[in-house]
Amino acid sequence: MDNHTNKRDFLGFSHLDAGKIIELFDFSLFIKKQRREAAAGQPYKPITGKTVAMIFNKPSLRTRVSFEIGIHELGGYAINLEGKSIGVNSREAVEDIAQLLSRYNDAIVARLHEHSVIEALAKHASIPVINALTDLSHPCQILADAFTLYEKGLWHEKIKVVFVGDGNNVANSWIELAGILPFHFVLACPDESKYMPDTKILESARKNTKGTIEIVHDPKEAARDADVLYADVWTSMGQEDEAEKRLQTFREYQVNPELLKIAKPSALVMHCMPAHRGQEITAEVMDGPQSIIMDEAENRLHVQKAILVKLLNHEEYRKFHLTHRLQNVARKLKS
Ligand code: CP
Ligand code: NVA
């Protein structure tokens, strides 16, 4: 978590290490199990009475619904603030919104355009701020994606994740993760600077990684021996004016049956969604047996609930890990 003062934010992965990420995954597994137990009459509500303000300056389905349901299930209350209505930096300065919301709420979830605005929000808020996507990054998505592979027992240092498409926010977060949690990440993107990932994120990840980070421009070369083929839209939110040009530029960057054949026979297909069938991914692959797209979308809920508990009830989060460690020691002593 990013520490600005003594409060914790979740703007990216920069203040996590590999161990802390695995801890979050283990807690997400527990949270997922708790949801089934809640359905059987044992609710788990560690953030009872807490309120979370959610600012959406861009459209959303998964993020908004999964946060709202997650907050409700954990015993909290979510308030949806449409960006248009509160006017971040147009009706009101971001520093004023940050301070005001901190008087009423326990956390802020924000989906904004410029990453600098979420940084300003976090700087001026005295409560945790969670990045629900900016033009630069989408950490909640990538944490849920990596967790999806982890829960399937597939996460290891040699796993080869190939991202096919635009080196934008989703790719940036994969790269940021690769700088912390070792694995083999390959981005296949067009050879033009505007489609390349963020330079600072890439440089920092390359400096710190114990895995491999590659940038190539040929999707077929990238797909060889891939364990995961990952797709995102060719035109992100806010880039609609470039849609026509991008349709041409990204033509070769489609996750389709031919590309899947180049990957390992056991390869899985992921997509952060929303997907444009027939553009970055074919319907056949999206609906095919190798797709785990709906699993990763569902896991947004469980992982974000884990993040919320970590930020809003750290004592509960710590207690879980202490118990978890003691159980592991007891298991080892028994065997
Ligand atoms: N993947 C994702 O963040 O979806 P939404 O834009 O619908 O929230
Ligand atoms: N890159 C996409 C991700 C959507 C979840 C966008 O920013 O629109």
Side-chain angles (χ1 to χ4, degrees), residues 31-278:
I31 287 272
K32 192 166 180 172
K33 192 165 144 259
Q34 284 301 322
R35 191 169 195 243
R36 291 191 288 269
E37 283 169 15
Q42 281 183 298
Y44 178 67
K45 297 184 179 291
I47 65 163
T48 294
K50 308 253 184 197
T51 64
V52 181
M54 307 209 298
I55 304 172
F56 279 90
N57 260 11
K58 295 184 184 189
S60 171
L61 175 63
R62 278 143 294 275
T63 310
R64 181 171 161 171
V65 175
S66 55
F67 264 114
E68 186 159 346
I69 291 174
I71 291 161
H72 171 75
E73 287 180 353
L74 293 170
Y77 182 74
I79 300 158
N80 269 306
L81 301 166
E82 292 299 333
K84 264 204 297 285
S85 135
I86 63 165
V88 183
N89 278 343
S90 54
R91 183 172 186 265
E92 207 161 345
V94 66
E95 35 287 45
D96 295 338
I97 294 175
Q99 292 180 67
L100 185 276
L101 289 179
S102 301
R103 297 285 178 113
Y104 296 148
N105 297 281
D106 298 284
I108 301 171
V109 168
R111 170 167 285 194
L112 301 167
H113 290 268
E114 298 92 349
H115 194 75
S116 57
V117 180
I118 203 166
E119 285 177 336
L121 191 68
K123 181 173 170 204
H124 294 282
S126 56
I127 55 176
V129 174
I130 299 174
N131 178 0
L133 181 147
T134 63
D135 292 347
L136 184 74
S137 61
H138 197 3
C140 292
Q141 177 71 53
I142 288 348
L143 211 57
D145 294 339
F147 168 73
T148 304
L149 298 166
Y150 180 80
E151 74 163 344
K152 290 181 188 299
L154 300 174
W155 192 267
H156 54 86
E157 294 199 3
K158 294 271 177 310
I159 190 169
K160 181 176 176 184
V161 177
V162 176
F163 184 107
V164 181
D166 193 7
N168 195 19
N169 43 12
V170 175
N172 283 336
S173 287
W174 268 117
I175 293 170
E176 201 185 351
L177 184 73
I180 299 167
L181 195 63
F183 67 103
H184 184 177
F185 179 75
V186 185
L187 166 66
C189 64
D191 191 6
E192 258 187 71
S193 61
K194 66 184 291 201
Y195 305 121
M196 296 285 278
D198 182 76
T199 315
K200 267 200 200 145
I201 291 181
L202 182 62
E203 277 173 7
S204 156
R206 279 200 161 138
K207 201 169 81 197
N208 297 319
T209 190
K210 293 197 180 77
T212 310
I213 301 172
E214 288 181 88
I215 312 289
V216 300
H217 305 296
D218 176 359
K220 293 197 176 86
E221 177 200 329
R224 208 168 303 126
D225 295 325
D227 294 290
V228 174
L229 290 185
Y230 194 105
D232 182 14
V233 290
W234 291 341
T235 302
S236 286
M237 293 179 275
Q239 299 173 333
E240 289 77 9
D241 290 353
E242 301 173 21
E244 276 307 307
K245 178 167 190 295
R246 284 172 171 270
L247 274 181
Q248 297 309 314
T249 307
F250 283 95
R251 250 191 341 234
E252 302 302 320
Y253 294 83
Q254 185 186 61
V255 175
N256 54 34
E258 292 71 48
L259 201 68
L260 197 50
K261 259 189 225 137
I262 300 173
K264 282 187 184 158
S266 59
L268 297 172
V269 174
M270 302 181 85
H271 191 308
C272 54
M273 299 181 91
H276 295 108
R277 290 161 178 253

